[in-house]
Every structure is written in structure tokens, then in C-alpha cells.
Amino acid sequence: MIWNEEFETLPREAIEALQLKRLRGLVDRVYGTVPFYRERLDDSGYRPGDIRSLSDLSRLPFTTKADLRDTYPFGMFAVPMERVVRIHASSGTTGKPVVVGYTRRDIDTWAELMARTLSCGGTTKGDVVQNAYGYGLFTGGLGAHYGAEKIGAAVIPISGGNSKRQIMLMQDFGSTVITSTPSYALNLAEVMAEEGVDPSSLKLRYGLFGAEPWSEGMRKEIEKKLRIDAIDIYGLSEVIGPGVASECLETKHGLHVFEDHFIPEIIDPDTGKTLPYGEKGELVFTTITKEAFPVIRYRTRDISRLIAEPCACGRTHIRMERISGRSDDMLIIRGVNVFPSQIETVLMTVKGVEPHYQLIVTRQESLDVLEVQVEVDESVFTDAVKGLEGLARNVEREIRDVLGISCKVKLVEPKTIQRSDGKAKRIIDKREI
Ligand code: DLL
């Protein structure tokens, strides 16, 4: 079902006209209210009134995570604190978090976008949504919560973790929709199997998963193990949280970017040049309706491409291909660029290994060495070292054939790789650079 027929099916020219109008409004607004943007825009040679067409966007300066750190905590806010009603933050791996704010209208916009997202995934007001995204500073929990309430579904604000209780409530409350990270969904499926709960005895029908990269193979695995339809949902705190883009059930291919609120671009991460539709590069977003924390050309570091072909679902918003990785997660193994998701894709084609893995990178004699640790299936796991050795060599060969890199595969016992309630940690980088 399409939540907002009027805006989600606007003809292309109407979308672009709306974007242009909103973009002009945004640039005028931040020029007047955010010293950081005024300075950046002045430095780039911009003069008020310079935006005449959407292509002028590519002349504006980028905003980066470092800029947000430099203005920590509230330096990028475009409204006075009296108008801010919510603050979220993303933890990041080093140093201070990135802090984002919302006005009351931003919260309404976000709820609308998450209502669209949940509708993309089949949710209606009759559903019981078990929301296993973490509640707190992370945007996943409250983002999905407000969207589900807006639809009129019954939300269970359970947050992540405590899998046995999740499963009990799923049985007792008859949850029909689950929202969580894909890795946590697999975790739930595993605990279900341990507890002897047959997923087909549950009412669960749909899952909306995101917040971390996952492969098509992983989708199949989750759909099979939980007996649901699973879709990919995307977003980031700096842009609004979840609710930036969503796959639809009709094609499960490409995520519709809610273009009446965000303008996506793909750029070459090295040169910053805007790339045409269809080419792969770094995703950049401009938020054209946000009040408290708007961003101009925010560099996400996420790698994707834009798909302009019309979609069977009837939505006219452009699609972005599922994220294949983050440029800062990219490993360079003897000159070849590899993303964890590419390794995941290969692993998922090998019978006997499970979608629980970690990549350990070390440096030996100034060469990067990649070790792939992956769990094997209970049924395959035996002490017959020889059989396992054969399987490990097989996986190494597959990775070499498909990705062109050599690595060492270490098969580990079922359930030894650390499980996560939220985003899975896939890379352990032990290099000291
Ligand atoms: O992860 C927002 C979110 C919550 C999205 C729930 C979807 C569902 P951050 O914590 O700021 O926000 O992390 C944003 O996570 O730049 C991507 O690298 C990654 N990411 C988010 N969704 C996906 C996805 C939330 N569907 C960062 N596929 C982003 C791949 C994703 N990566």
C-alpha cells in the first residue's frame, strides 16, 4: 500500500519543481541562520539567488562528518533551542557523537516518512509491530515507533536484546511485523530454533530491516528462517534517521528515496564530481524540508547507485541500490578493493556455512592479511578436521574466484561469533597504521 499517494506518485517534473522550490528555501534559510553554512557558501562564491535549476546544487559545498564534529554539539542547528523538541546522536566509532535535533514539525515529517516506509513493507493499521530497534539516542527505535503509531498499528516498544522475551511476546501478542537490524533478526531466528519455536506457528508476516549493510543472500536466509517477507530500509541520523529510503514489497529491488524531502546525488568519492544515474559512487543527501538540522550535500560515505527506471509499485521516487558498503569500511587487500558485503554474498552461496562472520585484518611484513572467520552449520560441524579443512579451502577458492583476493578462511563452531542486539561488528582491524 502507498501511504501518501499524492506525494509518492508525483510525476517527475512535479517532483523536480518541488525540489527546486524547497532547495532555494533551504539555502536561503541556512545562509541566514547557520554561520557555518554562510561561511562555506560565501567561500564557494555563492550569492543569494544563485540557485536557478536543480543542477546548480552540484556547485554548492559538501558537508562532512568532520564538519559536524567541529560544530559539536549544536553549532549546525538552524533554529533556536526553544524550537528543538528532540535530540538524537549517533555513537560513531571514535570521539564525540554526531548530534542532531528536531523541531515539532521535523518529528511530524519523520513520522510521515516512517509511515511511508512501514507501508512499503506491508504494514497497515491492523498490524502489531514488534519494534526491536534500540530506543534511546539511536534513531532506529523512536523513528520506527512514531511511524507505526502514525499508521495506527499497535507498537510493542521492546527495543533490542533479550531474545527469549522477544519470542515470548511475539507468540503471546501475535506480532505481525518485526523491525530490527538484519543481524538481530537472524539472532532471533537462531534463539527460536534453540527454544523449539516453529516460526510458522507465529503470526509474523513482514520484517523491515536496516541500519547496517546486508546481502541478498542474507535476505533469503532471514525470509526462510522466519517465514516472512523482508525489506531493506535505509537512513542515517544526520539526514533524519530511518525513513530516508525504503524498498517496496513489489520488487524488493532498490530503495525509493523520499525525494520530496531529500535530494540524493551520487559522487565520485575521490574527485567529488557528480556522477550520472546508474553509476556507482558515494551517496550524498540534501535535506530540503528539515528545520532544526538541515544538511546541504551531506557526504554519507555509503556506496550505492541511483536507479531511474520506473518501479512496478507505482511510486515515482527514484531508487537507490542497496548499500554495498561504506567507503570507510572498504578493505584494500593487496590492491583490490573489497567490501564486507561482497564477502557475505560469497559466503551465502556456500553450503554448510552460516551468515555469522567476522573479518580480521592484520598487517604482516607491510602486507594486509585478511582472515575470514565464519561459523559452520551445526550439521556440518564435526571433529573430522579433514572435512572442515576441505570446506575452508572451498570457501577460500570461492572468494578468490569471485572477488580476486586471497584470504584465509577459519571455520569456527556454531554460535561462537559474538551476537549483537543492534548493528553487527563485521570488521576487526588490528593494523596499526
Ligand atoms: O542506522 C538509521 C536507521 C535505523 C536506518 C534503523 C535503518 C533502520 P545511524 O546510526 O546514523 O542511523 O547509521 C547510519 O548506517 O550511513 C549506513 O552506513 C548504515 N545503514 C543504515 N541503513 C542501512 C541499510 C541508522 N539499509 C549508517 N543498508 C548509514 C546498509 C545501512 N547500511
Side-chain angles (χ1 to χ4, degrees):
M1 198 204 76
I2 298 182
W3 174 255
N4 190 331
E5 194 77 48
E6 184 191 349
F7 281 94
E8 290 179 81
T9 63
L10 278 177
R12 198 73 227 152
E13 316 78 71
I15 293 179
E16 288 178 4
L18 184 62
Q19 285 182 327
L20 179 60
K21 181 169 143 242
R22 290 182 167 175
L23 176 64
R24 282 193 182 128
L26 163 80
V27 179
D28 281 351
R29 207 150 37 81
V30 296
Y31 191 83
T33 51
V34 185
F36 166 87
Y37 278 121
R38 176 186 282 255
E39 216 170 278
R40 275 292 168 88
L41 287 164
D42 280 345
D43 288 351
S44 73
Y46 164 87
R47 294 284 160 273
D50 264 2
I51 305 225
R52 291 188 193 87
S53 75
L54 277 180
S55 61
D56 291 328
L57 177 62
S58 64
R59 308 220 311 263
L60 300 183
F62 293 115
T63 309
T64 64
K65 202 168 207 132
D67 296 328
L68 307 187
R69 294 240 161 81
D70 292 347
T71 51
Y72 175 86
F74 305 140
M76 293 289 242
F77 285 17
V79 298
M81 219 48 189
E82 301 91 86
R83 293 198 51 216
V84 173
V85 299
R86 178 95 65 80
I87 291 168
H88 279 281
S90 78
S91 49
T93 42
T94 48
K96 300 274 193 198
V98 164
V99 183
V100 299
Y102 303 76
T103 62
R104 194 169 299 286
R105 202 184 83 184
D106 292 335
I107 295 286
D108 289 345
T109 304
W110 193 15
E112 151 79 18
L113 296 174
M114 280 309 289
R116 292 185 191 179
T117 298
L118 284 150
S119 302
C120 276
T123 313
T124 63
K125 61 176 187 250
D127 279 300
V128 177
V129 178
Q130 181 153 340
N131 185 16
Y133 283 119
Y135 281 67
L137 286 176
F138 176 56
T139 52
L142 284 168
H145 184 107
Y146 275 59
E149 276 191 355
K150 181 153 185 123
I151 286 182
V155 198
I156 309 173
I158 190 161
S159 200
N162 204 339
S163 305
K164 285 188 188 162
R165 192 167 58 132
Q166 298 263 2
I167 293 163
M168 181 183 82
L169 297 193
M170 214 175 256
Q171 291 175 304
D172 297 349
F173 296 0
S175 312
T176 52
V177 176
I178 173 90
T179 50
S180 73
T181 58
S183 55
Y184 189 62
L186 269 184
N187 198 344
L188 279 177
E190 191 173 78
V191 177
M192 237 177 241
E194 277 167 19
E195 298 290 300
V197 175
D198 175 4
S200 54
S201 69
L202 300 172
K203 294 205 174 135
L204 215 54
R205 289 181 304 142
Y206 299 116
L208 292 97
F209 305 116
E212 63 184 5
W214 54 311
S215 61
E216 192 56 38
M218 183 123 156
R219 185 209 314 266
K220 296 270 151 52
E221 195 76 22
I222 293 175
E223 290 190 326
K224 186 175 83 196
K225 288 192 167 152
L226 286 177
R227 311 222 171 185
I228 56 173
D229 273 303
I231 63 157
D232 188 10
I233 70 171
Y234 170 84
L236 62 165
S237 321
E238 298 90 318
V239 173
I240 202 161
V244 175
S246 174
E247 274 182 349
C248 54
L249 278 174
E250 285 80 354
T251 59
K252 291 184 186 165
H253 177 248
L255 293 81
H256 292 280
V257 177
F258 299 122
E259 281 186 288
D260 47 337
H261 295 273
F262 311 111
I263 305 181
E265 295 171 88
I266 294 284
I267 62 157
D268 177 325
D270 298 323
T271 63
K273 232 178 104 243
T274 312
L275 299 176
Y277 289 163
E279 280 191 37
K280 205 164 190 151
E282 179 180 339
L283 260 173
V284 167
F285 286 103
T286 299
T287 64
I288 47 178
T289 54
K290 264 172 72 194
E291 294 183 326
F293 187 89
V295 285
I296 294 181
R297 305 194 83 203
Y298 184 71
R299 290 188 61 162
T300 63
R301 299 274 162 204
D302 293 324
I303 307 295
S304 178
R305 74 175 105 221
L306 294 173
I307 307 169
E309 285 77 46
C311 182
C313 74
R315 291 177 184 82
T316 49
H317 292 182
I318 200 165
R319 285 174 286 166
M320 55 178 251
E321 193 177 79
R322 68 161 4 112
I323 304 287
S324 53
R326 289 182 57 79
S327 56
D328 37 13
D329 268 0
M330 189 179 77
L331 300 168
I332 303 180
I333 306 296
R334 293 182 184 150
V336 183
N337 300 349
V338 213
F339 291 102
S341 61
Q342 291 177 293
I343 299 204
E344 179 179 306
T345 301
V346 176
L347 292 178
M348 300 305 302
T349 61
V350 181
K351 213 169 164 323
V353 302
E354 289 284 296
H356 299 287
Y357 65 97
Q358 242 168 8
L359 310 178
I360 324 277
V361 193
T362 51
R363 181 160 285 179
Q364 289 168 17
E365 291 161 19
S366 70
L367 275 184
D368 294 328
V369 176
L370 172 66
E371 179 177 277
V372 178
Q373 293 194 353
V374 59
E375 287 181 14
V376 288
D377 202 293
E378 294 272 4
S379 63
V380 172
F381 188 70
T382 63
D383 282 328
V385 177
K386 220 166 145 221
L388 285 180
E389 272 300 302
L391 181 57
R393 298 298 84 78
N394 194 4
V395 179
E396 283 169 3
R397 198 171 328 114
E398 279 296 311
I399 292 177
R400 197 173 50 241
D401 289 353
V402 180
L403 302 176
I405 53 159
S406 53
C407 64
K408 184 173 166 13
V409 169
K410 184 172 169 199
L411 300 176
V412 297
E413 283 184 45
K415 297 176 192 149
T416 45
I417 297 212
Q418 200 188 349
R419 302 293 188 260
S420 143
D421 298 341
K423 304 188 190 225
K425 187 165 170 53
R426 301 294 191 197
I427 300 180
I428 299 183
D429 198 334
K430 295 184 173 164
R431 287 172 297 187
E432 281 170 20
I433 301 172

